[in-house]
Amino acid sequence: MNKTASAFVMVIFCIGMLTACAGKEDIDTISSHTEEYWAEESDIGGMQATMVDGTKTDTETDTEEFTYETQTLYAGNGDDRIYGIVYIPQDAGEQMPAVIYSHGFGGTHHSGMAYADILARNGYVVYCFDFRGGGPGSQSDGSMTEMSLLTEQSDLEAVLTMVQGLSYVDGSSIVLLGESQGGAVSAVTSAAHQDEVDGLILLYPAFVMADNTRKEFNSLEDISETYTLMGMTVGRRYAEDLLDYDFYQVIGQYDKDVLLLHGDADRIVPISYSERAVQVYPSAQLETFSGTGHGFYRNDVEKAADYILEYLKEHF
């Protein structure tokens, strides 16, 4: 991955899962990065891959094993539409393994772009989508005041069903890849769909969400109709679904191999939450990024991609 792509991803990942445990410094940093992201979003032509009519053409390197096409692809959840982009490797086989990428709190499918580029060039179909109400820039239906852990689980389940039905996807080789809140959603969704989810990769998963909610509210009666979470307005349901939720009771039901990647300097989601997850999962591996906070920047993105590819090549 070139430096421009890495810098782009650095901005996107800071949106991640924003939780109440962060202090003013974290909020200010995230707000700054968010503003920078929206300012630069339209200027992605400098990345290694140039999209022309849905087709990726190489501009800086000839080392890719596969070229790929991108298409806008919607999934349905009731009467709502879920917006996403699918990356389809060319000449990599009639049916290919697929990776479904889930973004963090306040983010969009853009946070998975660099990973999708790398994985598609290695022969994996990748689908990056916007949760309904997942962030201010979401192109899916819904609003943030209607969004919660369980609505996002429902969205991911709808996406999983859609991806399984794609003619070019090997339905027996589907991996969930999620960052921050999207990692927590991927974890609970995989537990509910063990037979359909064949692999699970979690980037600094936000299992802290429930604990933070209990610090904020003592009971259901304390929850207001809307409240501010890290500078964004969420609705009552967000807290309702987390107040009595036990991630570790749920996620351990997934019994296939799990890869977790987490920075040991993460102040928003302390690495202790992933360390506990490793003890709960029947089969899990945690790779620690020394000195890294919440979100992977620059070289950490490339390092994470290497771990992800190693996991995929070992299992598929």
Side-chain angles (χ1 to χ4, degrees):
M1 187 190 311
N2 63 23
K3 294 181 179 178
T4 305
S6 296
F8 179 78
V9 175
M10 175 190 74
V11 175
I12 302 304
F13 274 109
C14 73
I15 296 173
M17 162 56 199
L18 314 179
T19 59
C21 68
K24 184 179 185 302
E25 179 182 347
D26 300 297
I27 297 173
D28 291 342
T29 299
I30 291 164
S31 298
S32 174
H33 285 173
T34 302
E35 291 171 2
E36 182 181 354
Y37 161 62
W38 293 121
E40 294 184 355
E41 180 186 3
S42 62
D43 186 28
I44 61 176
M47 293 181 63
Q48 179 174 330
T50 301
M51 302 300 180
V52 181
D53 296 328
T55 302
K56 180 256 186 190
T57 58
D58 302 327
T59 59
E60 295 183 12
T61 178
D62 296 322
T63 60
E64 291 86 354
E65 185 174 355
F66 301 103
T67 59
Y68 61 80
E69 292 183 354
T70 63
Q71 299 175 5
T72 298
L73 185 61
Y74 287 89
N77 190 345
D79 295 330
D80 291 338
R81 294 203 307 172
I82 298 170
Y83 174 89
I85 301 292
V86 63
Y87 295 67
I88 311 170
Q90 302 299 291
D91 302 319
E94 292 186 5
Q95 290 191 315
M96 297 161 282
V99 177
I100 300 173
Y101 182 92
S102 296
H103 66 77
F105 179 92
T108 69
H109 67 283
H110 289 282
S111 67
M113 287 178 63
Y115 290 127
D117 171 66
I118 293 170
L119 298 182
R121 287 193 281 110
N122 279 273
Y124 300 94
V125 174
V126 185
Y127 186 67
C128 303
F129 68 99
D130 295 348
F131 283 110
R132 292 176 301 151
S138 175
Q139 296 183 61
S140 296
D141 293 333
S143 70
M144 290 196 74
T145 56
E146 301 167 331
M147 176 270 296
S148 75
L149 170 73
L150 298 186
T151 67
E152 292 202 343
Q153 178 181 344
S154 176
D155 288 348
L156 184 49
E157 289 171 338
V159 166
L160 176 61
T161 298
M162 183 271 294
V163 170
Q164 287 173 320
L166 297 175
S167 61
Y168 46 83
V169 167
D170 178 356
S172 64
S173 301
I174 296 181
V175 178
L176 301 188
L177 166 61
E179 58 109 357
S180 201
Q181 179 168 302
V185 173
S186 297
V188 301
T189 302
S190 64
H193 298 272
Q194 295 189 66
D195 294 338
E196 301 163 84
V197 177
D198 306 289
L200 180 62
I201 303 170
L202 306 177
L203 312 181
Y204 38 92
F207 298 136
V208 70
M209 295 163 59
D211 285 346
N212 285 340
T213 300
R214 286 186 280 271
K215 291 177 182 177
E216 183 76 12
F217 304 107
N218 293 320
S219 66
L220 290 173
E221 291 72 24
D222 293 335
I223 305 172
S224 56
E225 288 304 310
T226 62
Y227 66 99
T228 300
L229 179 62
M230 296 299 291
M232 303 183 195
T233 301
V234 295
R236 178 182 176 86
R237 182 171 182 182
Y238 189 91
E240 283 182 333
D241 286 353
L242 288 170
L243 194 61
D244 296 320
Y245 199 85
D246 186 343
F247 278 103
Y248 298 106
Q249 185 177 18
V250 174
I251 65 173
Q253 299 172 37
Y254 186 74
D255 60 5
K256 299 175 184 176
D257 292 342
V258 180
L259 173 64
L260 298 97
L261 308 178
H262 209 133
D264 62 7
D266 193 334
R267 293 190 298 165
I268 294 178
V269 182
I271 194 172
S272 58
Y273 283 89
S274 284
E275 291 171 340
R276 183 178 176 188
V278 170
Q279 301 303 314
V280 169
Y281 278 120
S283 178
Q285 172 186 352
L286 171 62
E287 296 294 344
T288 300
F289 286 49
S290 179
T292 297
H294 195 68
F296 294 153
Y297 308 157
R298 299 186 178 91
N299 293 337
D300 286 336
V301 174
E302 299 178 26
K303 181 179 176 181
D306 287 342
Y307 279 123
I308 292 169
L309 278 174
E310 181 180 358
Y311 173 93
L312 292 174
K313 290 177 179 179
E314 179 180 345
H315 290 83
F316 305 98

